[in-house]
Amino acid sequence: MESSKKPIVNKKEEKRGAQEDRAKVIEWEDYEQELARLCSLTSALEEAKKKKLLLEEKLQSLIQIEAESLKRSNELEQMREKLESRKLVMGNMSMHSKVVKEKVRKQEEQLSTEIRSLLAGGNSLSEANKRMQDSSRSLAGEKGYGHLKNLQKSLRVRQQYMVSQVSLLYPVKVVIKKAPEQELESFSSSIKSGVPDGSKPVDQGTLTISGLHLTVIPFTKMSFFTDKKEVQRSSTALGYVAHAVSLIASYLQVPLRYPLRLGGSRSYIRDYSPSIEHSASSTTLDSTTSASTKPVEFPLFVEGQDSTRAAYAVFLLNKDLEQLLNFIGVKSLGPRQVLANLKELTRTILSPEYIDM
């Protein structure tokens, strides 16, 4: 039995033994056990390979996860940098917002102040409007503007009547008579348009007041051969003009710039312009000047007077007529047109248009 048993030699062992000059001999009785061990080793090896594959797969997945994690970490870093930059921008915007907010707050305060002032102004305006409405209602009433206009018309009608009486008392008429030495002032169609200063109408009549001519020559050229009656008539005519001017000024309630002292043919006109008086001392060469507020009277007649003072008196009388004409909105006809200005004054006042002025 024992002689029939032959040792079973593993080929690999033989090869290895050939190399090592040594062979491993397995007994038959140990064959099954060795086979079982080899099977278990093979299965263990297979199991190890499977585990290796699993480990490789897990390692690959871990590598992918690590790569993904690294990628995401980079992305997170980039996002963090962007977030920091945005935080910086947001900080700047926050500072700017605070500055704008402060400006808005100041503007709101200013606007609220302006609104309060506007409200106060609106209240004042409404009160003023209310007062204006009350005033309008009071003016529109029985004692309002209409009543005032009626009173003004009544007053102007009364003035017309009184001036008409003056015109009847001292009528200024045109006499068709050539007299070069007399004041040539006519009232044709050219009177309404006005006569330029220094011009004389051609071939027209002369004016008289109560039938008396106002002669100009005696006021400028007095001589021994001057007609005394003509001088007296001129003085009387000037007295008439002075009285008429004084009456019309009182009716119109106009204070004359140059007041009159009536005395018929011996009337005077006053000039309140200051006169300068010089006084010299015998012991010194200095001279003192004193201004007197006392009015200076100029005669409206020539007899016994300086012709220059009389001519200046006529000039001042014409200035009073010019003042009355300007008061009623009419232009003067000239600096020496005394009777013409007087006639224009009475004509304008007695016209229908005067009531509606």
Side-chain angles (χ1 to χ4, degrees):
M1 187 77 179
E2 291 179 3
S3 60
S4 61
K5 292 181 181 180
K6 296 180 178 178
I8 300 173
V9 181
N10 193 350
K11 294 180 178 181
K12 292 182 178 180
E13 292 286 339
E14 290 179 353
K15 291 179 180 180
R16 189 177 300 168
Q19 295 175 359
E20 298 177 356
D21 296 331
R22 183 181 169 183
K24 185 178 180 180
V25 179
I26 299 174
E27 298 295 333
W28 182 256
E29 289 85 2
D30 297 330
Y31 174 76
E32 292 181 358
Q33 184 179 357
E34 189 68 23
L35 183 62
R37 188 178 69 80
L38 290 173
C39 289
S40 63
L41 289 175
T42 304
S43 62
L45 183 60
E46 293 292 333
E47 188 70 25
K49 288 181 178 180
K50 290 180 181 180
K51 288 182 179 181
K52 182 182 177 182
L53 292 175
L54 290 174
L55 288 174
E56 288 179 355
E57 290 177 359
K58 288 182 179 181
L59 183 60
Q60 191 68 27
S61 63
L62 287 174
I63 292 173
Q64 290 180 356
I65 291 172
E66 186 67 23
E68 188 71 22
S69 175
L70 184 60
K71 181 180 178 181
R72 292 193 177 183
S73 177
N74 294 333
E75 290 179 353
L76 285 174
E77 188 65 26
Q78 292 177 358
M79 292 176 68
R80 189 178 294 110
E81 291 177 358
K82 290 181 179 179
L83 182 61
E84 290 296 329
S85 63
R86 292 197 175 184
K87 280 184 179 180
L88 184 60
V89 173
M90 289 297 294
N92 295 332
M93 291 180 66
S94 177
M95 292 296 296
H96 182 68
S97 176
K98 288 181 180 179
V99 174
V100 172
K101 187 177 180 180
E102 184 66 21
K103 288 183 179 179
V104 169
R105 186 183 63 80
K106 291 182 180 179
Q107 289 180 356
E108 284 179 352
E109 292 178 356
Q110 184 179 1
L111 185 61
S112 62
T113 304
E114 292 178 355
I115 288 173
R116 285 194 295 269
S117 63
L118 284 175
L119 289 175
N123 294 331
S124 302
L125 183 61
S126 62
E127 292 177 359
N129 190 18
K130 184 178 179 181
R131 289 195 298 269
M132 186 182 69
Q133 290 177 357
D134 295 338
S135 300
S136 298
R137 284 193 292 270
S138 63
L139 287 175
E142 295 180 356
K143 296 182 179 180
Y145 182 72
H147 182 66
L148 179 63
K149 290 294 290 183
N150 292 332
L151 286 178
Q152 286 179 346
K153 287 185 178 181
S154 301
L155 177 62
R156 290 179 184 242
V157 170
R158 182 65 178 171
Q159 289 173 348
Q160 277 188 337
Y161 173 74
M162 298 173 77
V163 171
S164 67
Q165 298 302 309
V166 175
S167 180
L168 291 175
L169 182 62
Y170 300 111
V172 179
K173 297 181 178 180
V174 179
V175 177
I176 306 301
K177 179 182 178 182
K178 294 183 180 180
E181 73 279 3
Q182 295 172 342
E183 184 182 34
L184 297 180
E185 302 166 296
S186 68
F187 274 78
S188 61
S189 59
S190 63
I191 282 292
K192 296 183 181 180
S193 59
V195 179
D197 296 348
S199 64
K200 294 183 179 181
V202 179
D203 195 16
Q204 294 178 353
T206 60
L207 291 173
T208 61
I209 180 169
S210 297
L212 297 177
H213 292 284
L214 180 57
T215 306
V216 178
I217 288 180
F219 288 87
T220 56
K221 296 180 181 180
M222 288 292 294
S223 65
F224 180 78
F225 300 100
T226 302
D227 189 0
K228 302 299 181 182
K229 291 184 179 180
E230 186 177 0
V231 172
Q232 183 64 34
R233 285 194 295 268
S234 296
S235 300
T236 303
L238 285 174
Y240 290 164
V241 174
H243 192 201
V245 169
S246 177
L247 290 175
I248 294 174
S250 64
Y251 298 156
L252 298 180
Q253 297 180 349
V254 177
L256 292 175
R257 187 177 292 108
Y258 305 103
L260 295 161
R261 183 165 69 86
L262 300 176
S265 60
R266 293 295 183 269
S267 298
Y268 290 84
I269 190 166
R270 296 173 181 176
D271 185 8
Y272 280 89
S273 299
S275 60
I276 307 299
E277 297 179 356
H278 296 278
S279 62
S281 176
S282 60
T283 59
T284 62
L285 297 177
D286 297 333
S287 62
T288 58
T289 304
S290 63
S292 176
T293 58
K294 184 178 179 181
V296 181
E297 290 187 343
F298 294 91
L300 287 169
F301 56 93
V302 183
E303 187 176 359
Q305 301 291 333
D306 184 8
S307 60
T308 303
R309 290 172 58 85
Y312 184 67
V314 175
F315 172 78
L316 295 181
L317 180 62
N318 193 64
K319 281 294 181 181
D320 284 343
L321 282 167
E322 183 178 351
Q323 178 186 358
L324 295 176
L325 286 169
N326 293 335
F327 178 76
I328 62 175
V330 180
K331 190 176 180 181
S332 173
L333 299 176
R336 294 185 299 171
Q337 312 294 324
V338 177
L339 293 182
N341 284 331
L342 178 60
K343 187 169 182 63
E344 180 67 11
L345 178 65
T346 56
R347 185 195 69 79
T348 304
I349 295 175
L350 297 179
S351 65
E353 292 81 8
Y354 177 76
I355 298 176
D356 297 326
M357 281 185 178

